Amino acid sequence: MRTFLKKHFKKLIYLSITFLLIIVSINFYIVQVTKEYIQTDYTKLPNVDAIIVLGAKVHEDRLSYVLESRLVGGINCMLQNKANAILLSGDHGQKNYDEVNSMRKYILRRKFPIRKEQIFMDHAGFDTYDSMYRALHIFGIKSAIIVTQDFHINRSVYIARSLGIKAYGLAIDESMYKYHLQLNWKIREYVTRVKAFKDVLINAQPTFLGEKIPISGNGLKSWDTIKSVKK
């Protein structure tokens, strides 16, 4: 092993540097091509077909602070009449774990002036790419405001625009979270942006597709009577 390392040490160094440069370049590219479409003030965003709120951790029906912040941002966009529909996209792949219904219940419990038929649910938004692909191909969304935290927003807008959605981003402030959490998100995002770039490049398919539910129609058609999308 030592002989191999000595013999190929320079090659390994060059390969490591090349790999690092690829990661940095992809991250730089994704941030640069999306930054003009991102705002922190929802009043500055244009009117669109739908608001897309991306799922995050829930504890039974209780939203994590991360997800609650996203959902409140999406609700504010709806209350500003930025769209006539809100798409709640998240992980409902298990019977006892349900991000989308937890978001729906949050909206209804607090009696926001959003009609039930305006609330659309994507139960198979298992990752950001799946959410955006399904937003286009299942819900027929042509333009959208995507709501998520700052660390995640560039990748979300990049995927959506690469797939053909005229997407804008509402970046939710994350400065209230502990430094180690913010650092962990940013490090992980460096890797997931590379995956997003690859998924777009190869036109990856989502985990599930299914019946079309036009965003211009009735959101109640997307509400589930079955408890999860997986058997």
Side-chain angles (χ1 to χ4, degrees), residues 143-175:
S143 61
I145 294 170
I146 302 165
V147 187
T148 187
Q149 271 72 24
D150 183 60
F151 75 90
H152 183 208
I153 195 66
N154 295 93
R155 173 163 57 98
S156 305
V157 172
Y158 168 74
I159 293 170
R161 285 195 161 259
S162 297
L163 291 174
I165 299 172
K166 192 176 181 181
Y168 302 88
L170 176 62
I172 302 299
D173 181 29
E174 60 194 48
S175 62

Side-chain angles (χ1 to χ4, degrees), residues 21 26 43-44 91 93 97 123 138 162-163 172 185 189 225:
L21 284 172
I26 288 172
T43 64
K44 294 180 180 177
D91 185 347
Y97 186 77
H123 304 271
I138 298 296
S162 297
L163 291 174
I172 302 299
W185 290 336
E189 191 65 13
T225 51

